[in-house]
Amino acid sequence: MPDIDLELRRITKRYGSFLAVDNLSLDIARGTFTCLLGPSGCGKTTTLRCIAGLEQIDSGDILIGGRSIADAPPWQRDIAMMFQDFALFPHMTVARQVGFGLEMLKQPRAEVARRVAAMLKTFEIDHLAGRKPATLSGGQRQRAALARALITEPRILLLDEPIGSLDFSLREMVMFELKAVQRRLGISFVWVTHDQTEAFSLGDLVVVMNRARIEQVGSPADILERPRSAFVAGFIQGNNVFRGTVTAAQDGMVRIATGVGEFLVPVLNGSTPPTGGAVSFSVRAERITDQPGAEHANRLSVRCGAVEFFGAVRRYFMHQADSQILKVDQFGAQAARLREGDQATIGWRAADGVLHHGDGGSP
Amino acid sequence: MRWTTRAALMKWTLGSVAVGFLIYQWLPMVTLGVLSFSGPDGGTTFPMNGVSLYWYAELWEPSLSADFKAPLLRSFLLALACSATTAVMAVAAAQAVRGEFRGNGVFFYLILLGIMAPGLLVGFGVAIVARLLGIALSWSTTTFLVHVTWTLPFGFLTMLAVFNRFDRRLEEAALTLGATRVIAFRRITLPIILPGVIGAALFGFSLSYDEFARSLFTTGADLTLPLTVLGQFDRQLTPSLYAVGTLTTLFSLTVILLFGGVMWLTRGRARRPA
């Protein structure tokens, strides 16, 4: 299938008794910007290293451009990789290491020189050609590493937390530069990160991983608005997760009894959970109001705790009766009614609850 | 006493100990060096009888009692061979341990056994085994092997320390850029660990060059330099021994400086922006 760049078919990787990647399958269409997102130790970097061939998978298959490369060594896969801290060769000049990939392809020297010069120009580092990595700034290293990885025009670029080592002020700029490069070249990027801001601003496809498995695959909007599991909802900023049991089901809604009350949650897709079954659902913090009206069917008594400010947003940390924290976001422009210590009744529309379908075995 | 005063006092105390140690280390060699320039009638202790190069000239005169030239050449060749062998094997062994194969802990201690085992007994054991197997003892075979068991652990530890600081991802980056493992080693790993390899080679050279205990029972008829020097002590003590000592010390220093120079040059090349 020429329109699929990468297929992971039920790949598994173990280190001794530790399961690092568990039966993971994923298809990546040509030219997709994919972000593997998850907490540290979830297997995202191991997955990337398996694609690169730096780790051998124990079972399953990996196809790049329709060709199985599970048994091919790293140097015979049509990939390039950008490492955290960039892994620039300390003893080579920028020009030399950018040309390294072409040298490995036994290109004639003049051809290497020509393409290196063009590449350095593209990334606006031609003035650094003769410099060693130790003398470069973080942003310059990042460009040198990118030029080095892209010069052989690989089908897929694998990036392992590629901006994690950059100064915070530089990250946003570099992020959008990388996105522009990916769009221009039309090659697939597989970007590993634990930072959801990166994943949601860059990814065409976001793959949320937890405990060696994929929790959810989808567009950023899918994952933000329709988390499939309590893990995804809890991992994504700004969600409130509730757990309970189904007490009734009617008209595309289920009634769920939790430790702090009963709530109505819509069943959007998937099957209606059985009455008495344990379920979880989530509500985004900005969908909750501290002045519930008739349309806000779900209500809850809370005590107002700390208040934080994120740019234009004001976030309240409310204490529920079971002492769990509930996050409520309001625009700063809206007048603040609540102070720390106040008792309040908050509410949300039944339609704003998201029932989780993919909880499976995860907590 | 304020803590800054105490710190200053401690600094001077430790500094004095260090200087005292350096004097203790170098004074005997300087004494030998000075005495080696005695006149032809000179004795082996102070006061000196004149100043001359007589005893150095004496070294080059063929004499039945003590000819240092052949042993010197043997020790030099032996040290060179140990140096090269140690460097290659130390890199290979450290690479293997870095790969964490099954039983690498045992392997580590087995190699280090070469440092801990008493040299005289190891040499004697080799001599016995060689005799049992009918292998003729020689400085270039049996002595060489025993020396390597002694020099290798030092080179091995050096290389382990070097690899400990080596960023493995540099090799991985080379692999993803199309380099095979052999090319990645040659183009990336080796240039970066080169100063360590030179250090291992240096250990191999200097430890073999003046090794006595492991040579004593293993050389057969043709002796190495340290054995010849000790033999001469038994016979007759003349300032020519001091001359040998001074020459070999200078020679070792030259070798070390040479290695150091190469190391400095390669480092300079790695650092200098072209």
PDB file of all heavy atoms in Angstrom, chain B residues 56-81:
ATOM      1  N   TYR B  56      78.293   6.509  31.008  1.00  0.00           N
ATOM      2  CA  TYR B  56      77.385   6.377  29.874  1.00  0.00           C
ATOM      3  C   TYR B  56      78.114   5.751  28.701  1.00  0.00           C
ATOM      4  O   TYR B  56      77.588   4.886  28.002  1.00  0.00           O
ATOM      5  CB  TYR B  56      76.809   7.746  29.473  1.00  0.00           C
ATOM      6  CG  TYR B  56      75.766   8.228  30.450  1.00  0.00           C
ATOM      7  CD1 TYR B  56      76.119   8.994  31.558  1.00  0.00           C
ATOM      8  CD2 TYR B  56      74.438   7.882  30.271  1.00  0.00           C
ATOM      9  CE1 TYR B  56      75.178   9.418  32.463  1.00  0.00           C
ATOM     10  CE2 TYR B  56      73.475   8.306  31.174  1.00  0.00           C
ATOM     11  CZ  TYR B  56      73.848   9.070  32.275  1.00  0.00           C
ATOM     12  OH  TYR B  56      72.909   9.477  33.168  1.00  0.00           O
ATOM     13  N   ALA B  57      79.391   6.218  28.496  1.00  0.00           N
ATOM     14  CA  ALA B  57      80.204   5.653  27.417  1.00  0.00           C
ATOM     15  C   ALA B  57      80.412   4.163  27.668  1.00  0.00           C
ATOM     16  O   ALA B  57      80.320   3.334  26.751  1.00  0.00           O
ATOM     17  CB  ALA B  57      81.544   6.376  27.337  1.00  0.00           C
ATOM     18  N   GLU B  58      80.639   3.830  28.927  1.00  0.00           N
ATOM     19  CA  GLU B  58      80.870   2.441  29.337  1.00  0.00           C
ATOM     20  C   GLU B  58      79.736   1.521  28.888  1.00  0.00           C
ATOM     21  O   GLU B  58      79.934   0.375  28.504  1.00  0.00           O
ATOM     22  CB  GLU B  58      80.966   2.414  30.873  1.00  0.00           C
ATOM     23  CG  GLU B  58      80.970   1.042  31.482  1.00  0.00           C
ATOM     24  CD  GLU B  58      82.393   0.544  31.740  1.00  0.00           C
ATOM     25  OE1 GLU B  58      83.268   0.819  30.894  1.00  0.00           O
ATOM     26  OE2 GLU B  58      82.596  -0.081  32.769  1.00  0.00           O
ATOM     27  N   LEU B  59      78.500   2.082  28.941  1.00  0.00           N
ATOM     28  CA  LEU B  59      77.331   1.279  28.581  1.00  0.00           C
ATOM     29  C   LEU B  59      77.425   0.744  27.162  1.00  0.00           C
ATOM     30  O   LEU B  59      76.927  -0.339  26.867  1.00  0.00           O
ATOM     31  CB  LEU B  59      76.052   2.118  28.686  1.00  0.00           C
ATOM     32  CG  LEU B  59      75.512   2.384  30.081  1.00  0.00           C
ATOM     33  CD1 LEU B  59      74.220   3.160  29.992  1.00  0.00           C
ATOM     34  CD2 LEU B  59      75.284   1.055  30.807  1.00  0.00           C
ATOM     35  N   TRP B  60      78.045   1.528  26.284  1.00  0.00           N
ATOM     36  CA  TRP B  60      78.078   1.138  24.878  1.00  0.00           C
ATOM     37  C   TRP B  60      79.251   0.220  24.577  1.00  0.00           C
ATOM     38  O   TRP B  60      79.297  -0.383  23.518  1.00  0.00           O
ATOM     39  CB  TRP B  60      78.101   2.361  23.963  1.00  0.00           C
ATOM     40  CG  TRP B  60      76.844   3.144  24.158  1.00  0.00           C
ATOM     41  CD1 TRP B  60      76.702   4.319  24.827  1.00  0.00           C
ATOM     42  CD2 TRP B  60      75.539   2.754  23.721  1.00  0.00           C
ATOM     43  NE1 TRP B  60      75.402   4.708  24.842  1.00  0.00           N
ATOM     44  CE2 TRP B  60      74.665   3.769  24.176  1.00  0.00           C
ATOM     45  CE3 TRP B  60      75.026   1.665  23.018  1.00  0.00           C
ATOM     46  CZ2 TRP B  60      73.296   3.710  23.921  1.00  0.00           C
ATOM     47  CZ3 TRP B  60      73.681   1.631  22.765  1.00  0.00           C
ATOM     48  CH2 TRP B  60      72.825   2.637  23.219  1.00  0.00           C
ATOM     49  N   GLU B  61      80.229   0.159  25.509  1.00  0.00           N
ATOM     50  CA  GLU B  61      81.356  -0.758  25.323  1.00  0.00           C
ATOM     51  C   GLU B  61      80.865  -2.179  25.552  1.00  0.00           C
ATOM     52  O   GLU B  61      80.268  -2.453  26.575  1.00  0.00           O
ATOM     53  CB  GLU B  61      82.466  -0.452  26.350  1.00  0.00           C
ATOM     54  CG  GLU B  61      82.993   0.972  26.291  1.00  0.00           C
ATOM     55  CD  GLU B  61      83.798   1.211  25.028  1.00  0.00           C
ATOM     56  OE1 GLU B  61      84.469   0.248  24.565  1.00  0.00           O
ATOM     57  OE2 GLU B  61      83.722   2.346  24.488  1.00  0.00           O
ATOM     58  N   PRO B  62      81.086  -3.048  24.580  1.00  0.00           N
ATOM     59  CA  PRO B  62      80.728  -4.443  24.829  1.00  0.00           C
ATOM     60  C   PRO B  62      81.599  -4.991  25.957  1.00  0.00           C
ATOM     61  O   PRO B  62      82.811  -4.816  25.937  1.00  0.00           O
ATOM     62  CB  PRO B  62      81.015  -5.141  23.505  1.00  0.00           C
ATOM     63  CG  PRO B  62      81.848  -4.204  22.706  1.00  0.00           C
ATOM     64  CD  PRO B  62      81.763  -2.842  23.286  1.00  0.00           C
ATOM     65  N   SER B  63      80.986  -5.570  26.922  1.00  0.00           N
ATOM     66  CA  SER B  63      81.772  -6.169  28.007  1.00  0.00           C
ATOM     67  C   SER B  63      81.080  -7.449  28.444  1.00  0.00           C
ATOM     68  O   SER B  63      79.865  -7.582  28.322  1.00  0.00           O
ATOM     69  CB  SER B  63      81.893  -5.195  29.180  1.00  0.00           C
ATOM     70  OG  SER B  63      80.742  -5.292  29.985  1.00  0.00           O
ATOM     71  N   LEU B  64      81.846  -8.360  28.924  1.00  0.00           N
ATOM     72  CA  LEU B  64      81.295  -9.654  29.314  1.00  0.00           C
ATOM     73  C   LEU B  64      80.427  -9.543  30.554  1.00  0.00           C
ATOM     74  O   LEU B  64      79.411 -10.199  30.687  1.00  0.00           O
ATOM     75  CB  LEU B  64      82.427 -10.660  29.562  1.00  0.00           C
ATOM     76  CG  LEU B  64      82.982 -11.293  28.296  1.00  0.00           C
ATOM     77  CD1 LEU B  64      84.125 -12.233  28.657  1.00  0.00           C
ATOM     78  CD2 LEU B  64      81.885 -12.046  27.553  1.00  0.00           C
ATOM     79  N   SER B  65      80.868  -8.634  31.465  1.00  0.00           N
ATOM     80  CA  SER B  65      80.176  -8.584  32.751  1.00  0.00           C
ATOM     81  C   SER B  65      78.756  -8.058  32.615  1.00  0.00           C
ATOM     82  O   SER B  65      77.835  -8.586  33.229  1.00  0.00           O
ATOM     83  CB  SER B  65      80.967  -7.727  33.737  1.00  0.00           C
ATOM     84  OG  SER B  65      81.023  -6.400  33.255  1.00  0.00           O
ATOM     85  N   ALA B  66      78.603  -7.011  31.814  1.00  0.00           N
ATOM     86  CA  ALA B  66      77.250  -6.455  31.714  1.00  0.00           C
ATOM     87  C   ALA B  66      77.069  -5.763  30.378  1.00  0.00           C
ATOM     88  O   ALA B  66      77.662  -4.722  30.141  1.00  0.00           O
ATOM     89  CB  ALA B  66      77.013  -5.464  32.856  1.00  0.00           C
ATOM     90  N   ASP B  67      76.270  -6.365  29.503  1.00  0.00           N
ATOM     91  CA  ASP B  67      75.926  -5.683  28.259  1.00  0.00           C
ATOM     92  C   ASP B  67      74.439  -5.372  28.310  1.00  0.00           C
ATOM     93  O   ASP B  67      73.602  -6.260  28.306  1.00  0.00           O
ATOM     94  CB  ASP B  67      76.246  -6.569  27.059  1.00  0.00           C
ATOM     95  CG  ASP B  67      76.065  -5.804  25.759  1.00  0.00           C
ATOM     96  OD1 ASP B  67      75.636  -4.630  25.826  1.00  0.00           O
ATOM     97  OD2 ASP B  67      76.345  -6.381  24.704  1.00  0.00           O
ATOM     98  N   PHE B  68      74.128  -4.080  28.414  1.00  0.00           N
ATOM     99  CA  PHE B  68      72.733  -3.693  28.597  1.00  0.00           C
ATOM    100  C   PHE B  68      71.981  -3.518  27.282  1.00  0.00           C
ATOM    101  O   PHE B  68      70.775  -3.341  27.284  1.00  0.00           O
ATOM    102  CB  PHE B  68      72.646  -2.388  29.397  1.00  0.00           C
ATOM    103  CG  PHE B  68      73.051  -2.557  30.830  1.00  0.00           C
ATOM    104  CD1 PHE B  68      74.251  -2.056  31.295  1.00  0.00           C
ATOM    105  CD2 PHE B  68      72.230  -3.246  31.711  1.00  0.00           C
ATOM    106  CE1 PHE B  68      74.617  -2.219  32.606  1.00  0.00           C
ATOM    107  CE2 PHE B  68      72.596  -3.411  33.030  1.00  0.00           C
ATOM    108  CZ  PHE B  68      73.798  -2.901  33.484  1.00  0.00           C
ATOM    109  N   LYS B  69      72.735  -3.524  26.168  1.00  0.00           N
ATOM    110  CA  LYS B  69      72.090  -3.141  24.912  1.00  0.00           C
ATOM    111  C   LYS B  69      71.023  -4.152  24.466  1.00  0.00           C
ATOM    112  O   LYS B  69      69.898  -3.774  24.154  1.00  0.00           O
ATOM    113  CB  LYS B  69      73.140  -2.951  23.808  1.00  0.00           C
ATOM    114  CG  LYS B  69      73.992  -1.704  24.022  1.00  0.00           C
ATOM    115  CD  LYS B  69      74.778  -1.317  22.799  1.00  0.00           C
ATOM    116  CE  LYS B  69      75.917  -2.289  22.481  1.00  0.00           C
ATOM    117  NZ  LYS B  69      76.978  -2.285  23.521  1.00  0.00           N
ATOM    118  N   ALA B  70      71.403  -5.442  24.456  1.00  0.00           N
ATOM    119  CA  ALA B  70      70.444  -6.462  24.022  1.00  0.00           C
ATOM    120  C   ALA B  70      69.219  -6.519  24.947  1.00  0.00           C
ATOM    121  O   ALA B  70      68.083  -6.506  24.467  1.00  0.00           O
ATOM    122  CB  ALA B  70      71.116  -7.822  23.923  1.00  0.00           C
ATOM    123  N   PRO B  71      69.397  -6.553  26.282  1.00  0.00           N
ATOM    124  CA  PRO B  71      68.228  -6.547  27.165  1.00  0.00           C
ATOM    125  C   PRO B  71      67.351  -5.306  26.972  1.00  0.00           C
ATOM    126  O   PRO B  71      66.117  -5.393  27.034  1.00  0.00           O
ATOM    127  CB  PRO B  71      68.833  -6.548  28.568  1.00  0.00           C
ATOM    128  CG  PRO B  71      70.180  -7.122  28.392  1.00  0.00           C
ATOM    129  CD  PRO B  71      70.642  -6.718  27.017  1.00  0.00           C
ATOM    130  N   LEU B  72      68.016  -4.165  26.726  1.00  0.00           N
ATOM    131  CA  LEU B  72      67.260  -2.936  26.520  1.00  0.00           C
ATOM    132  C   LEU B  72      66.350  -3.077  25.299  1.00  0.00           C
ATOM    133  O   LEU B  72      65.160  -2.746  25.338  1.00  0.00           O
ATOM    134  CB  LEU B  72      68.210  -1.755  26.334  1.00  0.00           C
ATOM    135  CG  LEU B  72      67.547  -0.401  26.064  1.00  0.00           C
ATOM    136  CD1 LEU B  72      66.805   0.065  27.306  1.00  0.00           C
ATOM    137  CD2 LEU B  72      68.555   0.644  25.633  1.00  0.00           C
ATOM    138  N   LEU B  73      66.925  -3.619  24.214  1.00  0.00           N
ATOM    139  CA  LEU B  73      66.141  -3.796  22.991  1.00  0.00           C
ATOM    140  C   LEU B  73      64.978  -4.759  23.232  1.00  0.00           C
ATOM    141  O   LEU B  73      63.832  -4.509  22.823  1.00  0.00           O
ATOM    142  CB  LEU B  73      67.038  -4.323  21.874  1.00  0.00           C
ATOM    143  CG  LEU B  73      66.334  -4.486  20.528  1.00  0.00           C
ATOM    144  CD1 LEU B  73      65.924  -3.123  19.982  1.00  0.00           C
ATOM    145  CD2 LEU B  73      67.203  -5.224  19.518  1.00  0.00           C
ATOM    146  N   ARG B  74      65.294  -5.876  23.951  1.00  0.00           N
ATOM    147  CA  ARG B  74      64.228  -6.851  24.242  1.00  0.00           C
ATOM    148  C   ARG B  74      63.109  -6.211  25.039  1.00  0.00           C
ATOM    149  O   ARG B  74      61.926  -6.338  24.709  1.00  0.00           O
ATOM    150  CB  ARG B  74      64.802  -8.021  25.056  1.00  0.00           C
ATOM    151  CG  ARG B  74      65.567  -9.015  24.231  1.00  0.00           C
ATOM    152  CD  ARG B  74      66.081 -10.155  25.103  1.00  0.00           C
ATOM    153  NE  ARG B  74      67.352 -10.607  24.565  1.00  0.00           N
ATOM    154  CZ  ARG B  74      68.488 -10.651  25.236  1.00  0.00           C
ATOM    155  NH1 ARG B  74      68.510 -10.308  26.511  1.00  0.00           N
ATOM    156  NH2 ARG B  74      69.591 -11.054  24.656  1.00  0.00           N
ATOM    157  N   SER B  75      63.475  -5.496  26.104  1.00  0.00           N
ATOM    158  CA  SER B  75      62.448  -4.884  26.953  1.00  0.00           C
ATOM    159  C   SER B  75      61.622  -3.883  26.172  1.00  0.00           C
ATOM    160  O   SER B  75      60.409  -3.776  26.362  1.00  0.00           O
ATOM    161  CB  SER B  75      63.089  -4.191  28.159  1.00  0.00           C
ATOM    162  OG  SER B  75      63.276  -5.128  29.190  1.00  0.00           O
ATOM    163  N   PHE B  76      62.302  -3.154  25.272  1.00  0.00           N
ATOM    164  CA  PHE B  76      61.595  -2.158  24.480  1.00  0.00           C
ATOM    165  C   PHE B  76      60.584  -2.829  23.543  1.00  0.00           C
ATOM    166  O   PHE B  76      59.410  -2.433  23.489  1.00  0.00           O
ATOM    167  CB  PHE B  76      62.603  -1.333  23.672  1.00  0.00           C
ATOM    168  CG  PHE B  76      61.960  -0.325  22.768  1.00  0.00           C
ATOM    169  CD1 PHE B  76      61.281   0.764  23.292  1.00  0.00           C
ATOM    170  CD2 PHE B  76      62.033  -0.469  21.389  1.00  0.00           C
ATOM    171  CE1 PHE B  76      60.677   1.692  22.457  1.00  0.00           C
ATOM    172  CE2 PHE B  76      61.419   0.457  20.553  1.00  0.00           C
ATOM    173  CZ  PHE B  76      60.751   1.541  21.085  1.00  0.00           C
ATOM    174  N   LEU B  77      61.032  -3.866  22.830  1.00  0.00           N
ATOM    175  CA  LEU B  77      60.133  -4.566  21.908  1.00  0.00           C
ATOM    176  C   LEU B  77      58.973  -5.217  22.667  1.00  0.00           C
ATOM    177  O   LEU B  77      57.813  -5.169  22.252  1.00  0.00           O
ATOM    178  CB  LEU B  77      60.903  -5.628  21.113  1.00  0.00           C
ATOM    179  CG  LEU B  77      61.906  -5.068  20.108  1.00  0.00           C
ATOM    180  CD1 LEU B  77      62.665  -6.208  19.414  1.00  0.00           C
ATOM    181  CD2 LEU B  77      61.204  -4.198  19.071  1.00  0.00           C
ATOM    182  N   LEU B  78      59.331  -5.819  23.808  1.00  0.00           N
ATOM    183  CA  LEU B  78      58.315  -6.463  24.636  1.00  0.00           C
ATOM    184  C   LEU B  78      57.264  -5.439  25.085  1.00  0.00           C
ATOM    185  O   LEU B  78      56.054  -5.688  25.010  1.00  0.00           O
ATOM    186  CB  LEU B  78      59.002  -7.100  25.853  1.00  0.00           C
ATOM    187  CG  LEU B  78      58.119  -7.890  26.814  1.00  0.00           C
ATOM    188  CD1 LEU B  78      57.415  -9.019  26.092  1.00  0.00           C
ATOM    189  CD2 LEU B  78      58.972  -8.449  27.963  1.00  0.00           C
ATOM    190  N   ALA B  79      57.741  -4.273  25.512  1.00  0.00           N
ATOM    191  CA  ALA B  79      56.830  -3.229  25.984  1.00  0.00           C
ATOM    192  C   ALA B  79      55.942  -2.743  24.842  1.00  0.00           C
ATOM    193  O   ALA B  79      54.737  -2.516  25.035  1.00  0.00           O
ATOM    194  CB  ALA B  79      57.619  -2.073  26.588  1.00  0.00           C
ATOM    195  N   LEU B  80      56.528  -2.601  23.663  1.00  0.00           N
ATOM    196  CA  LEU B  80      55.725  -2.173  22.516  1.00  0.00           C
ATOM    197  C   LEU B  80      54.625  -3.188  22.207  1.00  0.00           C
ATOM    198  O   LEU B  80      53.463  -2.820  22.002  1.00  0.00           O
ATOM    199  CB  LEU B  80      56.616  -2.021  21.277  1.00  0.00           C
ATOM    200  CG  LEU B  80      57.263  -0.671  21.022  1.00  0.00           C
ATOM    201  CD1 LEU B  80      57.937  -0.670  19.654  1.00  0.00           C
ATOM    202  CD2 LEU B  80      56.228   0.441  21.099  1.00  0.00           C
ATOM    203  N   ALA B  81      55.013  -4.471  22.198  1.00  0.00           N
ATOM    204  CA  ALA B  81      54.038  -5.522  21.904  1.00  0.00           C
ATOM    205  C   ALA B  81      52.928  -5.523  22.960  1.00  0.00           C
ATOM    206  O   ALA B  81      51.735  -5.619  22.632  1.00  0.00           O
ATOM    207  CB  ALA B  81      54.729  -6.883  21.857  1.00  0.00           C
TER     208      ALA B  81
END
